[in-house]
Amino acid sequence: MYWFEKYKPELELIFAQAKTYINRYPPSLKEHGFRYIEAYNPLNETSTKNYICYLLPYWTQEATGITTEQCRQLSLAEVFIMLYLFLQDDVMDTRPAQIKEPLALSSLFYNTALSLYRQLFPSESPFWNAFDQCTAEWAEGVTQEGYANYFLTNPFHITLKAAPIKLAFEGAVYLGGRIHIQDVLSHEVNNALIALQMVDDYYDWEEDMAEGNYNSLLAWITYKLDLSSFEELTAATVRQSIFTLGHFDGFAQFALLLHHAPTVASELHDFQHLLIQVLVEEANRIQRQKELLFEGGFTHFLSIL
């Protein structure tokens, strides 16, 4: 994972600087802010590893031509915009009893992100159009989730909740003056986000089913079983689809198709490759297990003849 290991010193600087901003928050929210950022710090072993949130400016640096200092500034801004969105998502999904503190903290995260972006982009910069677009996509993603089965018709829609991640490369494109690669890079980032969501959905399908969240794997299985809606699925039918009927293999092959797109950012491409390999290797593991079970059953059958 050189696309991560080589940037550890940069991440140490960024998260240390992020903590200096949180240290300026009101005392009643400061400790909560510190705990929250540590839960998403990729340098902590037990943290949630959202690599793309903070490393996208670095992965696209060669393509966009921005400086290392500009990478740091964009990454730092992304830290706060993503902490804001993670907190918003937590509130929407879990509806905690103590809702005032997370909402107040998320507002501070958002304001910090805005102040960091303002240091990089003047008010007339086209970056702010991208900011508005990403915010609108995020809003669509969190409100439309569960109302449409869009994975098969428009896979891009499963990434809408992560749309603000794209502010990192959008900002880099404008800072580096490389507008001509914007569309190709946007397509590449979208494909990486689709692959990331597919991996998450494989590991989280049981939780998503219990909570009624949209899940691309469940959407795929609903289609393969020719069902009209997620409500017709049970945990047993999903497991049968994955481990007996072989439908997970098609899901992995769908992800593999994403990797054939043109690339202008090799480390982003490598990150996407890792995600797809997780799905492909899991599909292969499931197939090997089925073959071993079949061979064992056949051997047992022969032994009793």
Side-chain angles (χ1 to χ4, degrees), residues 121-132:
F121 305 102
S123 58
E124 67 274 11
S125 169
F127 168 81
W128 295 107
N129 294 328
F131 185 93
D132 291 343

Side-chain angles (χ1 to χ4, degrees), residues 2-4 7 15 31 35 39 66 74 88 92 95 118 120 154 156 159 184 186 191 201-202 210 212 229 233 258 273:
Y2 68 92
W3 43 262
F4 168 62
Y7 297 117
F15 276 82
E31 289 306 314
R35 288 196 303 272
I66 62 174
L74 281 171
Q88 292 285 306
M92 291 177 192
R95 297 175 180 84
R118 288 192 188 107
L120 290 168
N154 190 350
F156 162 70
T159 73
V184 173
S186 178
N191 281 345
D201 286 349
Y202 171 60
S229 68
L233 287 175
L258 302 173
H273 176 72

